[in-house]
Amino acid sequence: MATTPQATSPENNPRVKAVFDDIRATRKTDFVNNMWRSLAFDPGLLETTWADVKRLMATETLLDPLTKEMIYIAVSIANGCSYCVHSHTAAARAKGMGSEQHAELLAIIGLAAKTNHLATGLQVPVDPVFDLGGPASPAGL
Amino acid sequence: MATTPQATSPENNPRVKAVFDDIRATRKTDFVNNMWRSLAFDPGLLETTWADVKRLMATETLLDPLTKEMIYIAVSIANGCSYCVHSHTAAARAKGMGSEQHAELLAIIGLAAKTNHLATGLQVPVDPVFDLGGPASPAGL
Amino acid sequence: MATTPQATSPENNPRVKAVFDDIRATRKTDFVNNMWRSLAFDPGLLETTWADVKRLMATETLLDPLTKEMIYIAVSIANGCSYCVHSHTAAARAKGMGSEQHAELLAIIGLAAKTNHLATGLQVPVDPVFDLGGPASPAGL
Amino acid sequence: MATTPQATSPENNPRVKAVFDDIRATRKTDFVNNMWRSLAFDPGLLETTWADVKRLMATETLLDPLTKEMIYIAVSIANGCSYCVHSHTAAARAKGMGSEQHAELLAIIGLAAKTNHLATGLQVPVDPVFDLGGPASPAGL
Amino acid sequence: MATTPQATSPENNPRVKAVFDDIRATRKTDFVNNMWRSLAFDPGLLETTWADVKRLMATETLLDPLTKEMIYIAVSIANGCSYCVHSHTAAARAKGMGSEQHAELLAIIGLAAKTNHLATGLQVPVDPVFDLGGPASPAGL
Amino acid sequence: MATTPQATSPENNPRVKAVFDDIRATRKTDFVNNMWRSLAFDPGLLETTWADVKRLMATETLLDPLTKEMIYIAVSIANGCSYCVHSHTAAARAKGMGSEQHAELLAIIGLAAKTNHLATGLQVPVDPVFDLGGPASPAGL
């Protein structure tokens, strides 16, 4: 199922082809996954989305690549995005996540979800010491 | 605001005192934050919740402590838990997260949220290669 | 904070007064909580919302009143609605929910949230036996 | 998959038939989509749900029909309702939404999701000028 | 689709077999649903998850079994967990939930979701009387 | 409350000053709201976020400015972002949204939330005619 038509030959559009080529070159694989094929219905949206993903996820930054994928998985699970859970779990595995790390990641996500719901159910007031926005924020916590 | 009464002297209850003492000993601080004070209205719920948090977050496991906090923050933001975002951002800072790492964490969470919504809006079909549940799963991706 | 102006004397509007009067009569109290005062900026929205709430929550139906409030709390927590968690927890207490029931309610909600995130993270395929939509649904499970 | 049995001939029930007939007459089509077929397991729930949808979505109101569908899509994506995203995207296209508008709609939804997560992650305090609930609200902003 | 490999003979692992045996004994059925088969990729995660579910859902507690399933369904719907909605609706039916109760459950969940969104849209301030966290909480509401 | 320190004079940083100046020039007001002041802890995150918002929300595009704000509000409510609901409701009012339009917007959002939860609770199968991803998509619906 899909809400946009998937073109048979999306790369007939040169802007689409340029993005697909960059995906293949950046990831060193011929495979272009369905996310990009779906986005190809609008070259502008495809270009800006890929630019964002490339800048943060396919470029060397402060956080290591596997940590970034695990954070991405955490958000995707909490937001209930089935596609994203599949694609980023595959990416994390490709970057070295083994079954034990996967299990621990899921355990932490499950625990966070549980305490999120408990804290919201209890309406726990934020401890003043956690506030960094005031004029006299603590140097340390 | 809160949905449960917060006792003035919760540690008069020995089960509550035992948990609070363990929190203080485990974290090496006298500070017991409001989450535990709110949970103290029911010693059983307090005990099981702390046992879960201690086992995963205050014990040495596969993932390093700061990575675990960042994953916790990611879930808490996506679930919209204000208290949890405050408390776990404070915890991550205490474990060494600087402003640049915090900014990158937020950028990745924001990007994930954006592509989560795009993938859900497009209803992108999952690529067969992402499925690990079948009888002939790929060795690598 | 609020996104609509709260009138000083909302009951000067006869349609608002009629709803407020019905709330007071139905609930047998003079207290009209802020939800209805906020909705009073638009009498039509106030009327239809109260009609829905009255029909399901303030009328005798199949499920008992406390069970209905607990279900309402569960949804409100998962949707992160701070106001609703406060107002329906107060309503549940007024209908007899004690601290032990409250703790068990929160424990179940927390567990459900945890397994929701695990099942989404694992992308567990639905067991065919759980499908009631087919032509030959099982009589029992 | 489905959690309620779908009757082979739901319109044998006169209350179901009356709603289905009204759907067909209102929408000027013979097609009754699965949402209504699933709801038909309980004629009361079917009637009240259709009455709500008809009053707001199939009646001339202040907002134009396409804008209403786009708002509906936005909520459905954020709530992760796959069925609703499909059905309301189809409805929006039937009401004239072209690919460029669809792409812009998705881009705005993606941006909103991103800044929603950033604002929650930063726990940005609400600017007092945004509060309309006080006694001296600003005439303009 | 799935993000973890499902073993053909998971019970070759004695820890997995012990959990599966306990599920069968506790539920008095030979059927072990996919949730547990997916979790079997990590025996530790399987053990702790089943222990939690067994303690709250398969043990006699304050709330009756059907009420607990309905609360579970409410959370699962709000969190958008397709698998959980299926499995817990089946469990609720097995525990006696008829079509009329199911329809009323869904109606309450739908109403809660609607007023959750209204209250969040209006940013309704919490009535002081709903706060139980202060030093002089009301005996009743 | 806030999770990042808010500088007293953020514009001492020339990159922050450049963004704030552009916000003031683009919006034709001296007012810079707290979102940007909070983001100023990291000039890079501030720059990319403002660039995105400016390009879509403060530039003439296909959708009219008020429609875009209403879509933004819809997503922000569904995602439970209190700050965003406040700021974009204020923006919508500044762009001409009156109380009647506001009420209708909220009514549609509330209805969508209700039917989202119903469809998820029923696990309604997507009608094949809603699928645009196949090789022979319908010209119309």
Side-chain angles (χ1 to χ4, degrees), chain D residues 52 61 72 104 114-115 127, chain F residues 52 61 72 83 104 114-115:
Chain D
D52 280 356
T61 58
Y72 220 112
E104 187 171 318
K114 177 180 161 177
T115 59
D127 305 76
Chain F
D52 280 356
T61 59
Y72 219 112
Y83 183 83
E104 188 170 318
K114 178 180 161 176
T115 58

Side-chain angles (χ1 to χ4, degrees), chain A residues 52 61 72 104 114-115 127, chain B residues 52 61 72 83 104 114-115:
Chain A
D52 280 356
T61 59
Y72 219 113
E104 188 171 318
K114 177 180 162 177
T115 59
D127 305 75
Chain B
D52 280 356
T61 59
Y72 220 112
Y83 183 83
E104 188 171 317
K114 177 179 160 176
T115 59

Side-chain angles (χ1 to χ4, degrees), chain B residues 29-41:
Chain B
T29 169
D30 273 351
F31 179 58
V32 176
N33 55 305
N34 280 341
M35 179 72 181
W36 310 108
R37 296 183 180 282
S38 291
L39 281 166
F41 86 101

Side-chain angles (χ1 to χ4, degrees), chain F residues 3-49:
Chain F
T3 62
T4 54
Q6 229 182 70
T8 324
S9 306
E11 299 183 63
N12 286 351
N13 181 309
R15 291 171 67 189
V16 172
K17 185 175 186 328
V19 173
F20 280 22
D21 281 348
D22 194 31
I23 290 173
R24 283 186 281 247
T26 305
R27 294 181 166 175
K28 299 182 189 11
T29 169
D30 273 350
F31 179 60
V32 175
N33 56 304
N34 280 341
M35 179 71 182
W36 310 109
R37 296 183 181 282
S38 291
L39 280 166
F41 86 103
D42 187 85
L45 187 58
L46 174 68
E47 287 166 350
T48 55
T49 307

Side-chain angles (χ1 to χ4, degrees), chain F residues 61-126:
Chain F
T61 59
L62 272 177
L63 301 175
D64 70 276
L66 181 50
T67 298
K68 293 195 284 189
E69 290 295 348
M70 290 194 294
I71 293 163
Y72 219 112
I73 291 169
V75 176
S76 301
I77 289 175
N79 279 331
C81 180
S82 172
Y83 183 83
C84 314
V85 172
H86 273 294
S87 62
H88 287 278
T89 302
R93 284 184 178 272
K95 287 174 184 168
M97 180 177 75
S99 284
E100 289 191 7
Q101 278 174 305
H102 191 195
E104 188 170 318
L105 171 65
L106 293 174
I108 292 167
I109 292 169
L111 175 63
K114 178 180 161 176
T115 58
N116 289 170
H117 283 64
L118 289 178
T120 299
L122 294 163
Q123 291 287 306
V124 182
V126 177

Side-chain angles (χ1 to χ4, degrees), chain A:
Chain A
M1 293 285 171
T3 62
T4 55
Q6 229 182 72
T8 324
S9 307
E11 299 183 63
N12 287 351
N13 180 310
R15 291 172 65 190
V16 172
K17 184 174 188 327
V19 173
F20 281 21
D21 282 347
D22 195 31
I23 290 172
R24 285 186 280 246
T26 304
R27 296 181 164 174
K28 299 181 187 14
T29 170
D30 273 351
F31 178 58
V32 176
N33 56 304
N34 279 341
M35 179 72 181
W36 309 109
R37 295 184 180 282
S38 291
L39 280 166
F41 86 102
D42 186 85
L45 187 58
L46 174 68
E47 287 165 349
T48 55
T49 307
W50 168 245
D52 280 356
V53 170
K54 184 182 180 185
R55 183 170 57 84
L56 271 166
M57 299 303 286
T59 306
E60 202 170 309
T61 59
L62 273 177
L63 301 174
D64 70 276
L66 180 50
T67 298
K68 293 194 285 191
E69 289 295 348
M70 290 194 294
I71 293 164
Y72 219 113
I73 291 169
V75 176
S76 301
I77 289 174
N79 278 332
C81 179
S82 173
Y83 183 83
C84 314
V85 173
H86 272 294
S87 63
H88 287 277
T89 302
R93 284 184 179 272
K95 288 174 184 169
M97 182 177 74
S99 284
E100 289 191 8
Q101 278 175 305
H102 192 196
E104 188 171 318
L105 171 65
L106 293 174
I108 292 168
I109 292 168
L111 175 63
K114 177 180 162 177
T115 59
N116 289 170
H117 283 63
L118 288 178
T120 299
L122 295 163
Q123 291 288 305
V124 182
V126 178
D127 305 75
V129 72
F130 292 155
D131 183 20
L132 290 196
S137 297
L141 285 155

